[in-house]
Amino acid sequence: MQKFAVLFSLASATLAGQTLPKNENHMVKYPKTRKSETVDTYFGTPVADPYRWLEDDMSDETGAWVKAQNEVTFNYLEKIPFREALKQRLEKLWNYEKLGSPFKEGNYTYFYKNNGLQNQYVLYRKQGEGKEEVFLDPNTFSEDGTTSLAGLSFTKDGSLAAYLISEGGSDWRKAIVINAQTMEVVEDTLTDIKFSGISWKGNDGFYYSSYDKPEGSELSAKTDQHKVYYHKLGTSQKEDQLVYGGTEAEKHRYIGASVSEDERYLLISAAVSTSGNKLFIKDLSQDNSPLMPIVEDTDSDNYVIENEGSKLYIVTNRNAPNKRIVTVDAENPGEENWVDFIPETENVLTAGTGGGYFFAEYMVDAISKVFQYDYDGKLIREVKLPGVGSASGFGGKKENKEFYFSFTNYIIPGSSFKYNVETGAYTSYWTPDIDFNSEDYESNQVFYTSKDGTKVPMIITHKKGLKLNGKNPTILYGYGGFNISLTPAFSIANAVWLEQGGIYAVPNLRGGGEYGKKWHDAGTKMNKQNVFDDFIAAGEYLIENKYTSSDYLAVRGGSNGGLLVGATMTQRPDLMKVALPAVGVLDMLRYHTFTAGAGWAYDYGTSEESKKMFEYLKGYSPVHTIKEGVDYPATLVTTGDHDDRVVPAHSFKFAAELQAKQSGKNPTLIRIETNAGHGAGTPVSKTIEQYADIFAFTLYNMGFEALPYK
């Protein structure tokens, strides 16, 4: 998901005076949170869970608690003198036209556009050089902008389209099928779709995935058995054919189905966790053809990226932690018949196809390098990128000889380029028209040493001419999990932070995917402490080198990154002044009992699998490691009441524990966004308000009574 941002030059700005705020944090009166007598026993060890009742998102008592907490939090935030100024600055910088890279479907070219402050991007199209018209406007889906476009798929000829919508940020989706020419709805809306794309089989129908609707709360109840269905156009959803996942032998938490570009093969991926998948193939050109296994275990990640007739091209990290591409015939697709096409290298591979070529993008210390190959595996060229940063979008349909890619880094706004696959030449397609001069800022990559001696890269971004005096407000942002790589990207929110003289530092922690499967595995299960140690060492590096000090350091992360912040602030509360855990996984003993949480066990392990694993998880679980009598940093927990990925109960219980046990004067608040989920599809208006509150809280608790720069 690309983030757009804007910044302006502040050469004439002056640093405002810094004094301790007169905010009387110790006067915050928190709502009283009832404690229950709930106790669980794990391998003979009793564990109290006094706030278990907050897991019931349907209860009136939980609703009243949410309302009371928000009243306290917003009462505090409203008293910060520069909160409104930050919001206005965010709105002003956000307000520029943003354009996504075009893509062709049928006779039309489609593209997403936002005129500046629209809550959701609008999908436009035009035919040839004709006039552009609105195709889908998600801003009309709901009055408050909280219903978003969550997926879109066209038939190969572009005549039909199915699009997914998300309501209130939920992961549950509805599918609407339209005639792409007339934009008229052609049949009833499909419901209860989750963690799924739409993949058409000709114009006859499409494949999708879902779970049985859970009993009780659909926002928190466990969803464990994913199923693939085939929907035939013009029939009721009740008649949809179950394709895979309906039996105990086929039980998996995540199953996806896709049809090859030439529409010959159905490909099914089945996984029990977020890493590793089985892979199956079915020949759609033959009636009653069997579903054949390509990979029969979940020890590796595998997917078919392309085929030429029966020749399959598979991207895999099987016996290749940094990934490779292999070829095999669909008639005998077993691993023993695989032949290297693009072998593994020392850098992590991301592959794409388009225009009759393969594109291999490599991460070199989290920075993109792109190479183009033909279908014989011959290197055609290295694509010389516009700068040092992150490139994406290298790929398209086989018949298209031009496509569009985007490029960004922490100080260069996302721009798109039109690429000619035959010549390798590209031209600028769109550059944001914003008041920003990247020459006023710098991003530098450093390598620091973690606790066990591991070298970890970190990119530090700030204004040029920064004084290393230990007094620069700094946000240390991290993730460190699920094989996800943090690569340089520009964002409006970060731009506002940089504008205020702030430093934005992003380390590439173990648990991520920057250096392949080994780097990922080094931050999972019994190695999870490595991630926290890497993050702590990043903070210590910034302090030791006078970028900042503990009084001016904030740590921030979301989802798995919220766990990172929660664990770091409970292990080293002295390291930072402010902690900002967002939609975090914070109860490590019970995370797997909600929605699809059990699928995260590859990274975390579970409290039920062994006494050793239970003790390890309890040893860092943020909810369970908050202690009486500790001066914790100023904390603003953020979550959404419709988050059905990481249920808000994690954040509720963590905030309640903090408020009960915090011994110092630092505020411990929770900001609960209503009618919002895990983050995707959040309206721009809500996003601006969230960042204004986060930055205001951070600077205020670092001692600023006024913005550093006016």
Side-chain angles (χ1 to χ4, degrees):
M1 178 170 54
Q2 184 175 354
K3 296 178 180 177
F4 295 90
V6 63
L7 198 54
F8 70 104
S9 175
L10 289 160
S12 61
T14 56
L15 187 66
Q18 300 172 25
T19 60
L20 287 174
K22 300 173 183 176
N23 57 14
E24 297 184 337
N25 288 331
H26 60 291
M27 299 300 290
V28 175
K29 293 189 188 304
Y30 305 110
K32 186 172 179 60
T33 305
R34 175 175 67 85
K35 290 186 177 182
S36 71
E37 300 299 320
T38 304
V39 176
D40 292 317
T41 301
Y42 299 86
F43 302 98
T45 301
V47 179
D49 193 357
Y51 304 116
R52 174 75 59 84
W53 61 272
L54 284 169
E55 293 178 2
D56 185 358
D57 55 86
M58 299 177 71
S59 78
D60 291 339
E61 187 179 16
T62 300
W65 185 88
V66 167
K67 183 178 179 182
Q69 289 287 345
N70 269 343
E71 285 178 358
V72 170
T73 296
F74 285 105
N75 183 55
Y76 178 94
L77 294 170
E78 285 163 5
K79 293 177 181 177
I80 298 177
F82 45 81
R83 176 198 188 208
E84 184 61 28
L86 280 169
K87 181 182 175 183
Q88 290 176 6
R89 178 60 64 197
L90 279 159
E91 286 180 342
K92 183 176 180 181
L93 297 182
W94 216 293
N95 194 10
Y96 67 93
E97 187 178 74
K98 305 164 192 72
L99 200 66
S101 296
F103 56 97
K104 193 168 183 180
E105 300 290 350
N107 297 322
Y108 290 90
T109 297
Y110 293 82
F111 55 94
Y112 290 92
K113 184 167 71 172
N114 190 308
N115 65 18
L117 293 175
Q118 288 175 288
N119 279 322
Q120 307 287 347
Y121 277 72
V122 179
L123 181 59
Y124 290 84
R125 71 176 181 184
K126 65 179 181 178
Q127 192 168 8
E129 297 302 317
K131 185 178 179 181
E132 66 182 43
E133 63 177 344
V134 173
F135 183 68
L136 287 173
D137 183 0
N139 298 291
T140 65
F141 292 174
S142 61
E143 288 187 11
D144 61 359
T146 58
T147 300
S148 60
L149 181 62
L152 173 67
S153 178
F154 288 86
T155 55
K156 188 174 182 179
D157 65 5
S159 65
L160 294 168
Y163 65 92
L164 299 171
I165 62 170
S166 166
E167 296 169 314
S170 171
D171 280 333
W172 290 99
R173 308 285 193 247
K174 294 178 179 177
I176 300 166
V177 183
I178 59 175
N179 179 313
Q181 180 65 40
T182 65
M183 294 181 270
E184 294 177 344
V185 176
V186 299
E187 64 170 25
D188 293 339
T189 298
L190 276 66
T191 61
D192 301 336
I193 297 172
K194 190 171 185 180
F195 297 150
S196 175
I198 297 287
S199 191
W200 286 89
K201 177 188 174 186
N203 290 31
D204 179 71
F206 54 81
Y207 298 91
Y208 68 91
S209 305
S210 192
Y211 303 90
D212 293 337
K213 203 63 173 285
E215 296 180 9
S217 171
E218 68 176 64
L219 294 177
S220 60
K222 189 173 183 177
T223 47
D224 207 15
Q225 186 158 0
H226 219 192
K227 299 176 182 179
V228 170
Y229 293 91
Y230 179 73
H231 174 71
K232 183 175 176 60
L233 226 55
T235 65
S236 166
Q237 187 177 5
K238 294 178 182 178
E239 301 173 43
D240 288 355
Q241 175 190 352
L242 177 62
V243 177
Y244 187 84
T247 67
E248 190 63 29
E250 295 177 352
K251 183 178 180 179
H252 296 82
R253 293 191 182 96
Y254 309 108
I255 306 176
S258 61
V259 177
S260 60
E261 188 177 340
D262 65 1
E263 300 190 321
R264 177 172 175 180
Y265 294 109
L266 171 66
L267 300 151
I268 290 180
S269 169
V272 294
S273 190
T274 50
S275 290
N277 67 287
K278 300 175 185 176
L279 187 61
F280 303 92
I281 188 168
K282 177 182 175 67
D283 190 340
L284 296 176
S285 69
Q286 299 179 19
D287 292 338
N288 301 317
S289 61
L291 189 65
M292 293 177 57
I294 299 176
V295 177
E296 297 188 73
D297 59 52
T298 58
D299 296 338
S300 56
D301 299 293
N302 319 273
Y303 65 94
V304 175
I305 189 174
E306 176 65 296
N307 69 289
E308 271 198 311
S310 65
K311 184 178 183 180
L312 307 178
Y313 296 82
I314 302 171
V315 180
T316 181
N317 63 7
R318 200 169 189 84
N319 302 317
N322 292 336
K323 294 186 183 176
R324 57 179 171 146
I325 302 179
V326 299
T327 60
V328 72
D329 191 276
E331 294 297 318
N332 296 287
E335 179 191 1
E336 66 276 7
N337 298 315
W338 290 2
V339 176
D340 272 6
F341 174 67
I342 297 180
E344 181 190 24
T345 72
E346 62 181 4
N347 299 308
V348 180
L349 168 68
T350 300
T353 63
Y357 293 93
F358 285 83
F359 292 87
E361 179 198 333
Y362 293 98
M363 275 187 295
V364 182
D365 298 328
I367 305 300
S368 293
K369 283 183 177 286
V370 179
F371 298 87
Q372 181 175 342
Y373 293 86
D374 67 16
Y375 273 61
D376 294 321
K378 177 186 175 185
L379 175 64
I380 303 301
R381 63 178 63 89
E382 178 181 356
V383 180
K384 300 297 182 183
L385 297 174
V388 176
S390 304
S392 61
F394 275 91
K397 295 182 178 179
K398 189 177 290 188
E399 67 269 19
N400 295 343
K401 295 305 177 183
E402 292 180 327
F403 59 74
Y404 300 82
F405 73 90
S406 60
F407 179 83
T408 184
N409 61 30
Y410 289 119
I411 58 177
I412 296 178
S415 301
S416 55
F417 300 85
K418 187 176 185 179
Y419 183 80
N420 184 301
V421 298
E422 300 298 348
T423 66
Y426 59 84
T427 56
S428 176
Y429 171 75
W430 178 79
T431 302
D433 182 17
I434 57 179
D435 183 14
F436 169 72
N437 182 7
S438 62
E439 295 301 317
D440 293 340
Y441 299 85
E442 60 182 289
S443 268
N444 299 301
Q445 187 173 60
V446 300
F447 289 81
Y448 65 91
T449 304
S450 191
K451 183 178 181 179
D452 64 356
T454 299
K455 294 291 185 184
V456 181
M458 174 166 58
I459 295 179
I460 306 171
T461 306
H462 53 76
K463 284 186 176 184
K464 288 181 176 177
L466 181 82
K467 293 182 179 178
L468 298 179
N469 58 10
K471 295 184 178 181
N472 300 298
T474 299
I475 290 178
L476 177 64
Y477 179 87
Y479 189 80
F482 295 91
N483 201 36
I484 290 173
S485 302
L486 295 187
T487 57
F490 198 77
S491 88
I492 295 172
N494 294 342
V496 172
W497 182 255
L498 294 173
E499 160 191 313
Q500 292 301 324
I503 294 173
Y504 186 69
V506 182
N508 297 110
L509 312 172
R510 279 175 284 185
E514 292 87 352
Y515 295 104
K517 194 174 190 301
K518 291 179 180 178
W519 192 254
H520 173 208
D521 288 346
T524 62
K525 292 184 178 175
M526 304 293 281
N527 294 321
K528 190 65 181 176
Q529 184 61 40
N530 287 337
V531 186
F532 313 140
D533 289 343
D534 289 355
F535 200 52
I536 290 167
E540 291 173 336
Y541 176 93
L542 293 169
I543 292 168
E544 289 167 5
N545 289 275
K546 304 296 184 183
Y547 285 97
T548 192
S549 62
S550 293
D551 288 335
Y552 295 95
L553 179 64
V555 291
R556 185 163 187 264
S559 194
N560 174 72
L563 164 62
L564 173 69
V565 171
T568 302
M569 65 176 283
T570 52
Q571 292 183 16
R572 284 292 306 276
D574 60 307
L575 183 67
M576 75 292 294
K577 181 63 178 176
V578 178
L580 303 165
V583 293
V585 187
L586 299 162
D587 183 345
M588 299 309 297
L589 300 187
R590 287 180 55 76
Y591 77 86
H592 59 292
T593 65
F594 304 110
T595 62
W600 311 336
Y602 182 95
D603 265 58
Y604 298 147
T606 71
S607 56
E608 298 168 352
E609 67 184 66
S610 70
K611 185 173 188 289
K612 187 176 182 182
M613 193 75 247
F614 153 68
E615 290 173 344
Y616 190 84
L617 287 167
K618 186 174 180 291
Y620 75 77
S621 176
V623 164
H624 299 93
T625 49
I626 300 169
K627 298 181 177 65
E628 297 271 9
V630 176
D631 187 0
Y632 289 103
T635 304
L636 181 62
V637 181
T638 53
T639 189
D641 68 346
H642 276 60
D643 189 345
D644 49 1
R645 186 86 54 85
V646 180
V647 295
H650 286 276
S651 296
F652 294 173
K653 292 162 76 171
F654 185 68
E657 287 281 0
L658 268 178
Q659 289 175 357
K661 295 178 179 177
Q662 168 73 291
S663 71
K665 297 179 180 180
N666 291 324
T668 53
L669 304 173
I670 181 168
R671 184 189 189 281
I672 305 153
E673 190 69 66
T674 55
N675 207 22
H678 199 58
T682 302
V684 165
S685 56
K686 285 181 179 281
T687 301
I688 287 173
E689 291 171 357
Q690 288 168 6
Y691 276 113
D693 289 347
I694 289 167
F695 292 157
F697 179 88
T698 300
L699 290 169
Y700 194 42
N701 282 282
M702 288 177 175
F704 293 91
E705 286 189 312
L707 288 176
Y709 286 84
K710 296 184 185 293

